[in-house]
Amino acid sequence: MTDTRRLYVKSYGCQMNVYDSHRMADAMAREGFAEVQAPEDADLLILNTCHIREKAAEKVYSELGRVRLLKRKAEAEGRRMLVAVAGCVAQAEGEEILRRAPVVDLVVGPQSIHRLPALVARAAGGEAVVDTEFPPEDKFDHLAAPSRQATRVRGVAAFVTVQEGCDKFCTFCVVPYTRGNEVSRPMEKIVEEAERLADAGVREITLIGQNVNAYHGIDREGRSASLADLLWRLADIDGVERLRYTTSHPRDMTDELIAAHRELGKLMPYLHLPVQAGSDRVLAAMNRQHGRDEYLAIIERVRAARPDIALTSDFIVGFPGETDEDFADTLDIVARAGFATAYSFKYSPRPGTPAAAMEQVPEAAKRERLAQLQALIEQQWQAFNTACVGRSFDVLFEKPGKYDGQIAGRSPYLQQVQVTAPAEMIGEIARVEIVRAGANSLFGELASPAARRSGIAAAVAMEGA
Ligand code: 5AD
Ligand code: SF4
């Protein structure tokens, strides 16, 4: 390699991309690259792109217009800046990116990031490089582990990819095309990664995958292992205090996974379970492989296992053919399911997916429905937060708070909690009494020692239940 040594990575979209961005930074760290926060300083600039919604490719091209100016400026200063496009737009667009944006030196798909150092070396040699293969080897086997230093900088709550890709083919979704078939990592690889993270101070691990509860890895003996098996195994690691997983498909909520929500104390009472729509007709057209009543029955079973669980979901409004009645069913399922919160999006046709060729709903109807749905979700979110006032629960402190003297952490239900407490408590879990609910966070006070003790007693009672 030449003297290119500063790396800037911009990550778009989901946590999976954040994870991949970290792994790319780790791989390049081995080659002597240090991450910088200012794109103009970069010798290697990577845009790790997302293709899930909206005019994703167009946004990348306009960002590349800005990058072109940075590259020119670097050249004027006698520096060379290599520009790479990674992620799902790279996968979907491939060589087209080099044609439309000559500023780009390297295009690398999500399944090829383990080859990044070699690809960068080739690009540095002047070659225009495109790698969007789905290689037969498992990228996870070749990814660099994060250094302790990198882990510390990234904080006490970490993500670990356990599964990637999807075989469900919902008719609106581009994931099966950009991330490919579902692949699960072997359990021991994940355990090793979790042990390293715990050793570097990580206390909470969120297992991620596009269809995480379809996880089917193998254990040390070569037997098949489910997500529930994996969660139980990870709970044995000293230092790992909290476990979460996302994103799940309703079809894969097995009895043993639901039972883990009852029996596994370290598994947090939070479940993101996208339903997308409330009408059976739309669910069928989406190829979700379940109806509304089936979904409601699943969450009833989850609630029976863990009554205080916070449920969240994803919704798409204006899916092709969605009528006012169908949309009313969506509002109805939100109210019935009692989601703590939900993410909602206007349907956006993805090139190459079946729904893109169906009859589209007018933009004005989409906009109107989204506003209505978001108002209802916001109401439920505020009600959920307000109901927390006066309760006490354990908060994992992650970072300095908004105001001096405060630190911020997460409740078991993933709410942001601000507390007046010393910065040394970052990385610790402490009992907090919630005194106020703000628009986006809760505000709390460290519980008295007596309250902490009764909290611990309650937690123990729960684990034994
Ligand atoms: N249009 C709008 N929203 C989409 N999502 C996925 N594909 C599309 C699309 N084509 C949403 C789904 C999914 C979330 C990650 O993004 O709600 O759960
Ligand atoms: Fe996309 Fe999720 Fe459906 Fe898979 S299950 S196709 S990732 S929406």
Side-chain angles (χ1 to χ4, degrees), residues 72 82 86 91 109 121 142 177 259 282 293 295 297 314-315 357 367 448:
R72 273 210 205 130
L82 284 179
Q91 187 65 40
H142 303 270
Y177 310 93
V282 172
D293 289 346
Y295 181 86
D314 287 346
F315 288 91
R367 209 179 315 128
S448 64

Side-chain angles (χ1 to χ4, degrees), residues 224-240:
S224 147
S226 66
L227 184 65
D229 296 331
L230 178 62
L231 287 163
W232 279 102
R233 175 71 186 81
L234 293 173
D236 279 342
I237 299 174
D238 276 347
V240 173

Side-chain angles (χ1 to χ4, degrees), residues 52-53 172-173 274 276 314-316 345-348 350:
I52 194 92
R53 288 179 294 273
F172 54 80
C173 186
Q276 314 294 358
D314 287 346
F315 288 91
I316 295 177
F345 315 98
K346 284 188 285 190
Y347 169 70
S348 141
R350 306 285 72 213

Side-chain angles (χ1 to χ4, degrees), residues 96-241:
E96 178 68 12
I97 295 179
L98 295 183
R99 267 194 294 278
R100 281 190 58 183
V103 63
V104 175
D105 302 286
L106 164 63
V107 176
V108 53
Q111 303 309 328
S112 307
I113 58 168
H114 56 293
R115 290 203 286 258
L116 187 66
L119 298 173
V120 169
R122 275 166 54 195
E127 192 185 333
V129 181
V130 177
D131 188 342
T132 52
E133 295 292 298
F134 284 107
E137 81 263 22
D138 180 355
K139 79 173 185 189
F140 295 107
D141 281 346
H142 303 270
L143 286 175
S147 65
R148 283 179 69 99
Q149 168 68 15
T151 302
R152 268 197 213 102
V153 171
R154 288 169 195 158
V156 294
F159 295 94
V160 174
T161 296
V162 302
Q163 172 283 335
E164 189 168 7
C166 183
D167 296 338
K168 296 261 185 333
F169 289 93
C170 298
T171 53
F172 54 80
C173 186
V174 78
V175 164
Y177 310 93
T178 55
R179 292 271 172 173
N181 288 344
E182 205 186 293
V183 178
S184 293
R185 297 175 70 187
M187 188 146 105
E188 282 314 303
K189 293 271 161 72
I190 299 164
V191 170
E192 278 165 29
E193 190 167 330
E195 282 172 345
R196 263 199 315 272
L197 290 167
D199 189 43
V202 167
R203 293 290 159 262
E204 175 176 303
I205 293 182
T206 302
L207 306 180
I208 55 175
Q210 265 101 20
N211 221 189
V212 74
N213 57 343
Y215 175 84
H216 56 281
I218 46 165
D219 69 8
R220 217 185 330 213
E221 280 81 39
R223 287 177 310 220
S224 147
S226 66
L227 184 65
D229 296 331
L230 178 62
L231 287 163
W232 279 102
R233 175 71 186 81
L234 293 173
D236 279 342
I237 299 174
D238 276 347
V240 173
E241 303 296 342

